[in-house]
Amino acid sequence: MNYLTDTIAAIASGLTPAGIGVIRISGPEAFRTADRVMRFSGRRSACDADDHTILHGIACDGDGEEIDEALVLIMRAPRSYTGEDVAELQCHGGPFVMKRILDRVLACGARLAEPGEFTKRAFLSGKMDLSQAEGVMELIEAENESARRAALSSLRGDLGSRVSDIRGRLLYETAYLEAALDDPEHISLEGFGERLSGVVSAAEGELSELIRLSEEGRVLTEGIRTVILGRPNAGKSTLLNLFSGRERAIVTSIPGTTRDTLEERIRLGELLLVLTDTAGLREGADEVEGIGIKRAIEAANEADLIIYVVDGTREPCGEDAERLMSFKDRPVILLLNKSDEALAAPADDFAEKLGAEPIIFSAKSGQGKAELEERIKRLFYSGKLAGDKGYIIANARQREALLSCRSSLKKILEAIENGIPEDLWSVDLTDAYTTLGRITGESVNDELINEIFSKFCMGK
Ligand code: GDP
């Protein structure tokens, strides 16, 4: 198969019944194929039609039988989604009708497009960079308003253009350095270390900002990583079950039953929480439990939000107060659980001893749940968990590239500072810009491109 010069087609609008169905044809034979499939009104033809016009006609089978009435949108290269000639056929959106027309289009010379192939062509023809192409997929998959906005920002090229700008500067310095190393008589490296150091630290600062913004973007699309902490028997598993609405965690009255971490994804309005239930924090625990506790603390340190549960039927304890102190710089919400029973002390006493204002809560009855949700939303929208603006979206691959580039830049700065010879700088410089090229698509191989686009849906 000739991946760049053949003509491809697919149903672009999905296979559920709808008012309109779209069949997209892209490639050098797009208009000729449309002319074979369609009997256009007024004897017009797709091949002769002006760019960005719409033709009306009947899609017919090989023997002339009419299949459906349709409109055909003419988009000539390069002013189309793929950058190639594109004919987009709009018919009635019944799966059967669309399938019949698609069969006819395929019989007239087009090949069935692979998943993501239209977008892949757009990337290969330079219509968009790789991060924008991935933005297309994120936009299609966006499940809420924030994810939609963030995906649109990738699609517009916010990440790509910033990365490409940094990459360009690094590339310039690398080229200069290599030229000077090749031709020391004519190109001087006098003062180059200082200049490079300035360029690299600026780039490092910008990358750190991108990494920070992408963290906020991650919270929006992947969810707020929330860890439930508290001593054994405080009611952590019961809380998780309350949120998830089913018996996910094992609840018993024997302390220490949750030995490892459990994860649950929960939607709160437009926010998504990835909730982790952890082993209870208890000193003197046995070995297996000890590992669980270590994981719990690790999870809490990486979490976006900590929900700390205390048993309100027991006196406020020093261990909880200490633990809460150790998280004082982190977003923590304190729950005074089991308040359906008599509290061991007034809520104010708990607040004073534990150094945080608790929500009067009952994981059993659901009391306080609305207030908890409200607090999480307030933390989120006040930017304490992640700001609601300015974020960019970066998927795991892109984030890894940002981090790896930043560490190459740090190495360069160290090398300059420690007086390491210039020819060794270029290794890390090359690493740095090559890594950034993995985001924009300059330094990705066919295999990775195929893998990325194969995740797309059909017809996109
Ligand atoms: P964990 O060890 O922190 O996960 O605690 P569990 O969720 O396993 O709960 C320990 C015990 O406390 C169980 O017997 C629960 O039924 C009970 N429990 C949990 N939450 C509440 C609550 O809000 N009210 C009451 N009365 N009991 C609760």
Side-chain angles (χ1 to χ4, degrees):
M1 258 180 259
N2 193 334
Y3 277 91
L4 268 180
T5 55
D6 59 357
T7 296
I8 55 173
I11 295 170
S13 56
L15 276 171
T16 42
I20 296 169
V22 176
I23 292 158
R24 183 185 271 158
I25 313 171
S26 177
E29 291 291 312
F31 301 139
R32 246 185 301 273
T33 307
D35 279 335
R36 285 186 204 119
V37 174
M38 297 292 302
R39 200 165 64 219
F40 288 117
S41 317
R43 297 192 171 197
R44 295 174 68 191
S45 109
C47 286
D48 299 334
D50 287 337
D51 190 13
H52 285 83
T53 51
I54 303 172
L55 304 183
H56 171 266
I58 309 283
C60 297
D61 236 339
D63 55 10
E65 190 193 346
E66 297 186 354
I67 307 173
D68 190 14
E69 199 176 340
L71 293 176
V72 177
L73 279 59
I74 304 293
M75 288 161 278
R76 293 188 180 275
R79 295 179 60 212
S80 71
Y81 181 71
T82 55
E84 304 175 322
D85 281 346
V86 170
E88 244 173 49
L89 210 143
Q90 296 192 353
C91 56
H92 290 97
F96 188 73
V97 177
M98 288 191 282
K99 184 78 181 46
R100 275 287 299 275
I101 298 180
L102 178 65
D103 283 346
R104 177 72 186 135
V105 168
L106 299 179
C108 290
R111 162 174 72 76
L112 185 65
E114 291 166 10
E117 199 173 358
F118 293 108
T119 310
K120 182 172 165 184
R121 288 189 172 199
F123 164 65
L124 292 174
S125 68
K127 290 290 283 192
M128 52 175 87
D129 73 20
L130 194 58
S131 68
Q132 288 174 296
E134 291 183 280
V136 171
M137 183 162 62
E138 281 149 10
L139 189 62
I140 294 171
E141 288 174 355
E143 283 183 9
N144 59 51
E145 185 56 18
S146 312
R148 180 197 63 77
R149 264 183 271 153
L152 192 63
S153 131
S154 320
L155 182 57
R156 281 206 220 99
D158 291 358
L159 175 66
S161 64
R162 291 165 80 164
V163 164
S164 155
D165 185 48
I166 299 172
R167 187 173 181 272
R169 279 178 268 150
L170 296 175
L171 197 55
Y172 176 84
E173 299 304 333
T174 315
Y176 184 90
L177 174 62
E178 288 188 350
L181 291 171
D182 280 350
D183 186 8
E185 279 176 30
H186 295 98
I187 306 174
S188 157
L189 281 178
E190 184 76 40
F192 178 73
E194 209 171 306
R195 183 178 92 200
L196 183 64
S197 171
V199 171
V200 169
S201 356
E204 198 216 324
E206 286 168 54
L207 277 180
S208 294
E209 175 69 1
L210 282 180
I211 291 165
R212 188 184 67 75
L213 294 173
S214 75
E215 271 300 295
E216 297 180 354
R218 176 191 58 71
V219 165
L220 292 172
T221 49
E222 292 170 21
I224 302 169
R225 282 180 304 199
T226 307
V227 162
I228 305 173
L229 284 187
R231 295 198 303 137
N233 249 10
K236 301 179 293 299
S237 308
T238 313
L239 174 66
L240 186 74
N241 291 337
L242 171 76
F243 268 122
S244 63
R246 62 196 159 100
E247 291 282 311
R248 173 72 157 57
I250 317 147
V251 180
T252 63
S253 52
I254 310 156
T257 32
T258 312
R259 299 209 152 192
D260 210 332
T261 54
L262 289 170
E263 246 185 42
E264 190 79 34
R265 297 163 74 80
I266 285 138
R267 188 161 290 291
L268 278 190
E270 73 164 28
L271 299 181
L272 185 68
L273 293 195
V274 183
L275 267 181
T276 311
D277 181 22
T278 60
L281 302 171
R282 187 171 59 126
E283 281 168 14
D286 71 28
E287 201 183 332
V288 182
E289 223 179 270
I291 297 170
I293 292 175
K294 193 160 158 274
R295 287 210 194 132
I297 304 277
E298 277 168 14
N301 284 327
E302 282 172 16
D304 302 309
L305 171 69
I306 299 166
I307 298 180
Y308 199 98
V309 186
V310 297
D311 182 344
T313 64
R314 290 164 179 270
E315 290 285 330
C317 89
E319 204 180 311
D320 282 334
E322 260 172 51
R323 195 69 76 190
L324 280 163
M325 253 320 269
S326 73
F327 293 122
K328 74 173 179 351
D329 297 327
R330 312 291 316 284
V332 179
I333 297 176
L334 175 63
L335 300 184
L336 192 53
N337 194 32
K338 307 198 189 178
S339 60
D340 52 298
E341 290 185 20
L343 292 179
D348 287 350
D349 283 11
F350 277 97
E352 194 184 323
K353 295 223 168 78
L354 299 177
E357 197 60 47
I359 297 176
I360 314 288
F361 202 84
S362 166
K364 208 168 218 174
S365 72
Q367 182 195 346
K369 186 168 178 247
E371 194 183 339
L372 174 61
E373 293 183 2
E374 208 37 58
R375 275 240 211 141
I376 297 175
K377 284 186 191 162
R378 234 181 308 144
L379 276 175
F380 177 81
Y381 288 112
S382 65
K384 299 259 169 47
L385 303 180
D388 190 28
K389 52 185 179 300
Y391 50 78
I392 52 162
I393 219 79
N395 57 35
R397 194 181 57 79
Q398 296 164 334
R399 262 200 308 274
E400 191 202 290
L402 291 173
L403 289 168
S404 147
C405 176
R406 186 171 63 175
S407 77
S408 301
L409 295 183
K410 284 191 171 138
K411 279 195 215 149
I412 300 167
L413 290 174
E414 272 168 31
I416 299 174
E417 205 164 294
N418 297 331
I420 288 172
E422 285 105 348
D423 51 345
L424 295 178
W425 303 350
S426 79
V427 176
D428 288 318
L429 266 174
T430 308
D431 273 355
Y433 76 72
T434 312
T435 313
L436 290 184
R438 293 214 297 266
I439 296 179
T440 47
E442 279 98 344
S443 32
V444 283
N445 56 27
D446 287 353
E447 209 175 312
L448 182 64
I449 290 178
N450 289 338
E451 190 197 313
I452 290 170
F453 286 101
S454 67
K455 292 192 202 125
F456 275 59
C457 48
M458 270 315 264
K460 194 61 219 178

